[in-house]
Amino acid sequence: MDNAFADLLEANEKYAATFEEGGFDGIARAGVAVITCMDSRIEPLRMLGLNLGDAKILRTPGGRITPDALTGCILGTHVLGVDRILVVPHTRCAMASGDDEAIASKVEAETGVNIHGALLGASTRQRDALHYDVELLRSHPLIGKRAVVGGFMYDVDSGKLNPIE
Ligand SMILES: [Zn+2]
């Protein structure tokens, strides 16, 4: 276990040695919340020209508005200064490559592990899912009046964020 994280802890030592950004609160300084995918090709702050402290970042498989992401949006808009919310799925997302059954079958084929029946939230109808999630936030009684909500598709090959909703 110790060895599994050694390289990361070593890197953190260097990070902390020159860290000079402590001491401020958790308010989103740019008033921004981003809900996007867990995909490793996405850098939520950098792609928006934002820095540490500027935004709340909520990452879920596929960038879907899961119950936890919804909770984050409610807290963000009420106590953390969020007044702009970006919902950002992306191109070539595994969660848009099939439905839950297809993803479960892929997991089973690759690992032999059966996760059929798990609620994954996968769908090939990615644009429809984005529309649904944006409407969910806009119409939510605790969010819609406190924040502007936009839906965007992030292109992992060009780095471009395309407004959709
Ligand atoms: Zn993804």
Side-chain angles (χ1 to χ4, degrees):
M1 167 113 174
D2 285 349
N3 285 342
F5 301 104
D7 58 330
L8 303 176
L9 290 173
E10 187 180 326
N12 177 256
E13 288 287 334
K14 290 176 187 155
Y15 177 75
T18 57
F19 188 76
E20 293 178 348
E21 313 223 34
F24 61 82
D25 61 28
I27 300 297
R29 288 194 281 197
V32 170
V34 181
I35 297 90
T36 193
C37 186
M38 60 193 272
D39 195 288
S40 52
R41 294 167 290 187
I42 301 171
E43 296 184 287
L45 290 175
R46 228 175 117 209
M47 77 180 182
L48 295 169
L50 298 175
N51 296 302
L52 184 71
D54 284 343
K56 297 299 166 192
I57 310 297
L58 300 156
R59 304 196 69 156
T60 63
R64 298 301 311 278
I65 305 298
T66 61
D68 282 347
L70 187 60
T71 300
C73 289
I74 293 169
L75 294 175
T77 52
H78 284 78
V79 292
L80 300 170
V82 171
D83 57 14
R84 290 184 289 171
I85 300 175
L86 296 87
V87 184
V88 186
H90 65 95
T91 58
R92 297 203 286 125
C93 182
M95 293 294 284
S97 67
D99 58 12
D100 281 7
E101 282 301 304
I103 302 289
S105 293
K106 187 178 179 193
V107 169
E108 190 166 29
E110 290 185 10
T111 68
V113 174
N114 181 358
I115 65 163
H116 287 279
L119 293 174
L120 305 175
S123 171
T124 56
R125 300 185 68 162
Q126 194 179 29
R127 293 287 180 101
D128 290 336
L130 176 59
H131 176 72
Y132 176 83
D133 284 344
V134 167
E135 286 303 314
L136 183 71
L137 295 180
R138 284 179 179 160
S139 65
H140 195 286
L142 297 175
I143 296 170
K145 293 188 180 106
R146 300 184 68 92
V148 178
V149 181
F152 306 82
M153 184 66 64
Y154 178 70
D155 187 323
V156 296
D157 295 304
S158 72
K160 182 108 176 67
L161 198 60
N162 296 302
I164 303 292
E165 292 282 342

